Amino acid sequence: MSVVPPSSPIYGIPGLGTDTRVFSRLQKICPLGIEWLEPFPKEKLSDYAVRMAEYITQPNPTLIGVSFGGILAQEIAQLIPVRKIILISSIKAAEELPQRLQLMRTLPLYQLSRGSWRIRTLPYWGKLFGIHDPKELLLIQDMFRKHSDTYRMWAIKELVNWRPPSPTTSLIHIHGTSDRVFPIQRIQDCIRIRNGDHFMVYRRAREVEEILETCLV
């Protein structure tokens, strides 16, 4: 028997630069996914959310958002009725953004990260996301190749400048204690996964699934 009523479909929104394959080990729980669109020039996140929300065709959904996908889920919930939002390795308040990312509001060093070199050097900096396994590295590299520099620069800018909207629905936050992108020390009111990293939705899928089964009832 399904843990979620049939009237509440579940949509997964992947993290920045990735795609719905991050949910591939959670397909029984999260069968529907939304892929990133190419942003329009100078498009605001709230306007981008309008376009992304068009891909949610079933009513009263539960949104599972990973990292930047969790931020987008909160924006979409401002536009359509949503039963529940579940954040994984994400943030829900400006105060949860680490200081090094807050610094990029005035010093946008991320703009130097352009071109294919970021994909080739993933084995070196991927550890920040908890990526060590060669197969996982190949998967992430393949995901990154799907997205343009325009998308990446836009997404990072929107991330570091994001101001959370007023909550409109129930929100549950799952976070790893070893997340180096959004350190646990700044995260409030969350369900913790011990030693979970930023890629735990894939690497620790069984533990994430067990928590989701409880959260989705």
Side-chain angles (χ1 to χ4, degrees):
M1 183 173 65
S2 174
V3 297
V4 183
S7 60
S8 182
I10 301 171
Y11 286 84
I13 308 176
L16 194 161
T18 65
D19 60 37
T20 53
R21 282 177 286 178
V22 299
F23 300 110
S24 61
R25 296 178 176 178
L26 298 173
Q27 286 187 341
K28 291 182 179 180
I29 285 183
C30 191
L32 302 173
I34 306 175
E35 302 289 5
W36 294 104
L37 298 172
E38 187 73 5
F40 296 141
K42 299 182 180 180
E43 186 173 25
K44 295 181 179 180
L45 182 60
S46 57
D47 295 328
Y48 184 86
V50 173
R51 294 201 290 137
M52 292 290 280
E54 293 178 358
Y55 290 89
I56 300 176
T57 58
Q58 300 186 45
N60 197 37
T62 291
L63 304 180
I64 299 179
V66 176
S67 192
F68 187 55
I71 289 175
L72 180 62
Q74 293 171 74
E75 292 290 335
I76 290 176
Q78 300 290 309
L79 304 170
I80 63 174
V82 170
R83 177 177 182 264
K84 185 178 296 186
I85 296 174
I86 300 178
L87 305 181
I88 302 176
S89 308
S90 188
I91 60 173
K92 57 189 177 298
E95 296 76 18
E96 294 182 341
L97 192 73
Q99 289 183 343
R100 56 184 170 76
L101 292 181
Q102 293 182 30
L103 179 63
M104 292 186 185
R105 295 170 184 164
T106 55
L107 189 64
L109 295 177
Y110 59 85
Q111 294 184 4
L112 301 176
S113 177
R114 298 175 182 269
S116 62
W117 72 270
R118 73 180 187 279
I119 300 174
R120 296 195 301 269
T121 58
L122 180 62
Y124 301 99
W125 59 265
K127 295 178 181 179
L128 178 67
F129 297 88
I131 303 169
H132 305 276
D133 183 88
K135 292 183 179 179
E136 293 176 359
L137 286 168
L138 290 174
L139 175 63
I140 295 293
Q141 286 175 326
D142 191 56
M143 291 180 186
F144 281 5
R145 289 188 182 97
K146 294 174 59 178
H147 302 290
S148 69
D149 279 342
T150 298
Y151 158 81
R152 289 186 64 255
M153 297 302 104
W154 169 85
I156 296 173
K157 180 181 178 181
E158 293 301 315
L159 166 64
V160 301
N161 289 286
W162 183 59
R163 292 294 183 270
S166 301
T168 58
T169 188
S170 172
L171 187 149
I172 297 171
H173 191 164
I174 305 171
H175 212 86
T177 62
S178 296
D179 193 314
R180 296 175 63 186
V181 177
F182 301 130
I184 191 67
Q185 290 81 6
R186 301 184 72 93
I187 305 299
Q188 303 294 321
D189 302 321
C190 69
I191 299 171
R192 300 186 176 204
I193 292 184
R194 184 176 177 80
N195 298 324
D197 52 48
H198 199 65
F199 199 45
M200 68 180 185
V201 67
Y202 186 86
R203 300 187 70 246
R204 305 280 290 274
R206 180 174 297 181
E207 293 167 77
V208 172
E209 184 177 51
E210 291 176 352
I211 296 173
L212 289 176
E213 288 176 347
T214 301
C215 296
L216 290 169
V217 294

